[in-house]
Amino acid sequence: MSRIFMPVLMVITFMKTAVAQTTAVHVSIDPGTTYQTIDNFSASDAWAVQFVGHWPEQKKNAMADWLFSTDTTSSGTPRGIGLSMWRYNIGAGSAEQGDSSGIRDEWRRAGEWHNQSGQLWFLEAARKRKVPQFLGFLNSPPVQLTANGKAFAYKGVSNITADKYDAMATYVADAINGIYKTTGIRFDFISPINEPQWDWSDGNQEGCPYDNEQISGVAKSLSRTLTARKINAKILIGEAGKLDYLFSAADKPAKGKQVSAFFDPTSPHYVGNLSNISRNIAGHSYFTTSPAQVAVSTREALAKVVGAVPGLGFWQSEYCILGDNAGEINGSKRDYGMDAALYLATVIHRDLAIANAKAWQYWLAISPYDYKDGLIYIDKSKTDGDYHDSKMLWAMGNFSRFIRPGAQRIKAGLEGDSTLLVSAYKNTDKSVCLVIVNPSQQEITLDAVAKKGKISRLRTYVTSDAGNLQPVPVQNKIIIPARAVVTVTGSIKL
């Protein structure tokens, strides 16, 4: 009997068990109705990895396992969240400038690639753990090319002039080739611009503002250089500071409507005809996640605009919890627990299931700060210290560990009164997984019934207060704990 997908794979009935009369919630899965193809899940090495890469071997290997491993323990528990891409910070040289860089926090400075041994350790650790994709990004042009000799700008004016774009492209190409010669790792993608809408004039970190004309100029110069140097990396552009700027002029007309600016052939800033421009527009989910109706409407508008451009996809390329989020959650103070994890899982769900994100990428993989900005938290020590995982790490793993590159999101219909968030995916090996976010205080019991055929090898992986991606074999019932993120994996045969 071969494994075949039917128009409706299964109907799942959820019953709220803690009430006298149960309320049924039905989920219908249709693998014949597909949406976006998933490219990757990722996080960045900025900024702590430059130091953590020199920590004791046992500690940095443990953190690398949490981030990259797709192995399991003898009990079947995943060792890590299996990130499928790693974002590498190609620094602008502020670290070499030291205090004269003007960047007050040493941990937010970044060195040029040949002085990045700590970062290179993690890059190789990712490769050893079979991470399949790599991206190099710049927050600022190199300091030797900037107008003020710094890695941050002055009064919101772009810190590099057009006559230096070719030199910046050469810097990027040299870094790509140098890292390849050192590690054997080739970057699949290069992102030369980061959040161009912001002023980047406060000396808080490396950064540079650009308008759309300037971004187009940088992209064209980099395209020519990569082609001439026979470097196959794709150029990722956009990296909008919030999602609105991808489809709306918002409050910065010269920096908004980036989808049409770069991918409409009638635009003066069009770069979609360049063979090494990625057919994805990148944006960051900051400041668009609350309240719920704004989060939904923003992503619906984005999906409509991106979907109108043939062959174009959307990558959510940076997020952590910032601000007060309309009172839903505050980004200050670390949170190792489920409050932050459930909020993060909700953002990931909406980006995938409403905005049709083909990639979902977190900001700081490792953070020394007292914010909700890290998957892993460490002491702010250059050589050694304590390190801690967070529930955000493992909740992201409910997606990244099981939705692999090449997976397709498939139709998952939810009927009935429920606060559940459900999305479904079909991997290239024909396995299916559902990711269920249950933010409520109510435990839910699930019955899985196939209209045709037989559902087999069902298993759940539960992230909750009680554990991290804890595997639970399924017989007839699936338990969705209160305040949990659950991945259901399985297959079906006729």
Side-chain angles (χ1 to χ4, degrees):
M1 300 287 285
S2 61
R3 190 184 304 163
I4 301 174
F5 287 100
M6 298 106 52
V8 176
L9 172 61
M10 63 182 79
V11 174
I12 303 173
T13 302
F14 296 89
M15 298 178 293
K16 296 182 178 180
T17 57
V19 292
Q21 185 174 0
T22 61
T23 301
V25 179
H26 301 281
V27 179
S28 59
I29 310 301
D30 180 2
T33 301
T34 60
Y35 304 100
Q36 75 272 29
T37 298
I38 302 300
D39 292 329
N40 58 68
F41 289 85
S42 184
S44 89
D45 70 354
W47 293 282
V49 166
Q50 62 183 306
F51 299 122
V52 178
H54 300 292
W55 277 30
E57 290 291 322
Q58 180 274 325
K59 292 183 178 182
K60 62 188 181 183
N61 272 301
M63 287 183 268
D65 280 343
W66 282 345
L67 292 167
F68 307 131
S69 179
T70 56
D71 292 339
T72 57
T73 67
S74 58
S75 65
T77 303
R79 293 186 184 276
I81 68 170
L83 293 178
S84 44
M85 192 175 81
W86 185 234
R87 292 178 62 100
Y88 183 98
N89 183 13
I90 301 173
S94 59
E96 286 85 352
Q97 292 179 317
D99 291 342
S100 66
S101 68
I103 296 175
R104 297 175 295 277
D105 184 349
E106 182 181 3
W107 285 63
R108 295 191 174 196
R109 302 169 191 162
E112 297 188 9
W113 79 265
H114 46 79
N115 292 323
Q116 294 179 329
S117 56
Q119 290 176 241
L120 292 172
W121 187 93
F122 267 86
L123 189 68
E124 293 184 277
R127 191 260 310 272
K128 290 176 182 176
R129 290 163 178 81
K130 300 180 182 178
V131 173
Q133 300 174 50
F134 299 92
L135 178 148
F137 68 95
L138 283 77
N139 288 327
S140 165
V143 293
Q144 61 268 27
L145 300 178
T146 59
N148 62 4
K150 306 291 185 183
F152 62 94
Y154 178 70
K155 292 187 176 180
V157 176
S158 183
N159 207 14
I160 185 170
T161 54
D163 62 306
K164 301 290 180 63
Y165 292 166
D166 285 348
M168 178 179 170
T170 297
Y171 177 84
V172 173
D174 287 345
I176 294 171
N177 282 339
I179 290 169
Y180 171 68
K181 289 177 182 177
T182 302
T183 65
I185 295 171
R186 295 187 186 276
F187 287 126
D188 302 278
F189 301 94
I190 291 295
S191 177
I193 306 292
N194 176 63
E195 296 183 345
Q197 292 82 16
W198 309 146
D199 285 354
W200 298 118
S201 299
D202 59 3
N204 189 46
Q205 66 170 84
E206 293 189 346
C208 183
Y210 299 86
D211 62 25
N212 290 341
E213 180 181 4
Q214 293 162 336
I215 294 171
S216 178
V218 169
K220 290 173 182 176
S221 179
L222 183 56
S223 174
R224 288 192 300 269
T225 300
L226 296 183
T227 299
R229 301 275 290 268
K230 298 182 179 180
I231 296 172
N232 294 324
K234 295 289 187 180
I235 302 167
L236 181 70
I237 58 173
E239 299 281 9
K242 58 179 181 176
L243 299 184
D244 309 64
Y245 292 126
L246 293 178
F247 61 86
S248 168
D251 57 339
K252 299 187 178 181
K255 301 182 177 186
K257 292 189 175 180
Q258 289 189 309
V259 171
S260 59
F262 304 132
F263 292 100
D264 181 346
T266 66
S267 166
H269 313 313
Y270 179 59
V271 294
N273 59 332
L274 302 177
S275 62
N276 49 9
I277 292 288
S278 171
R279 292 293 296 182
N280 295 289
I281 188 80
H284 302 173
S285 282
Y286 298 122
F287 314 118
T288 61
T289 62
S290 57
Q293 62 268 28
V294 171
V296 171
S297 64
T298 298
R299 285 153 181 79
E300 288 175 339
L302 174 58
K304 182 177 180 180
V305 170
V306 173
V309 181
L312 187 65
F314 160 60
W315 279 19
Q316 192 299 119
S317 56
E318 185 181 313
Y319 180 75
C320 67
I321 300 173
L322 294 179
D324 64 5
N325 299 286
E328 293 177 356
I329 192 169
N330 194 293
S332 64
K333 302 297 181 184
R334 295 184 180 186
D335 184 341
Y336 299 108
M338 287 304 298
D339 285 347
L342 288 166
Y343 193 87
L344 179 66
T346 299
V347 173
I348 298 174
H349 168 84
R350 287 173 175 158
D351 286 339
L352 295 174
I354 302 175
N356 292 327
K358 296 182 66 181
W360 204 94
Q361 300 164 7
Y362 194 80
W363 176 216
L364 301 182
I366 302 173
S367 171
Y369 297 111
D370 193 18
Y371 298 105
K372 296 177 181 65
D373 60 355
L375 299 176
I376 298 169
Y377 287 100
I378 61 166
D379 292 341
K380 200 173 185 181
S381 169
K382 294 181 183 179
T383 57
D384 197 0
D386 289 335
Y387 62 101
H388 310 272
D389 59 344
S390 71
K391 295 293 181 181
M392 286 191 290
L393 172 78
W394 300 107
M396 183 173 174
N398 280 96
F399 297 88
S400 60
R401 178 65 179 79
F402 304 99
I403 307 168
R404 305 307 297 170
Q408 289 182 297
R409 187 168 69 86
I410 60 178
K411 186 175 181 180
L414 183 64
E415 299 176 5
D417 182 18
S418 175
T419 59
L420 291 176
L421 302 174
V422 181
S423 58
Y425 308 85
K426 176 174 61 176
N427 282 302
T428 56
D429 65 358
K430 305 304 182 183
S431 64
V432 169
C433 68
L434 290 79
V435 184
I436 302 166
V437 183
N438 181 13
S440 76
Q441 299 286 346
Q442 185 72 61
E443 180 183 282
I444 294 171
T445 301
L446 176 158
D447 286 326
V449 181
K451 285 192 172 181
K452 293 181 180 179
K454 179 181 179 182
I455 299 172
S456 63
R457 297 183 297 191
L458 277 180
R459 183 180 293 266
T460 64
Y461 294 85
V462 181
T463 299
S464 66
D465 286 329
N468 304 319
L469 295 182
Q470 290 297 302
V472 181
V474 174
Q475 301 300 324
N476 298 317
K477 304 287 185 181
I478 298 173
I479 304 299
I480 309 296
R483 289 172 50 80
V485 185
V486 178
T487 303
V488 184
T489 64
S491 60
I492 188 168
K493 291 182 180 180
L494 286 178

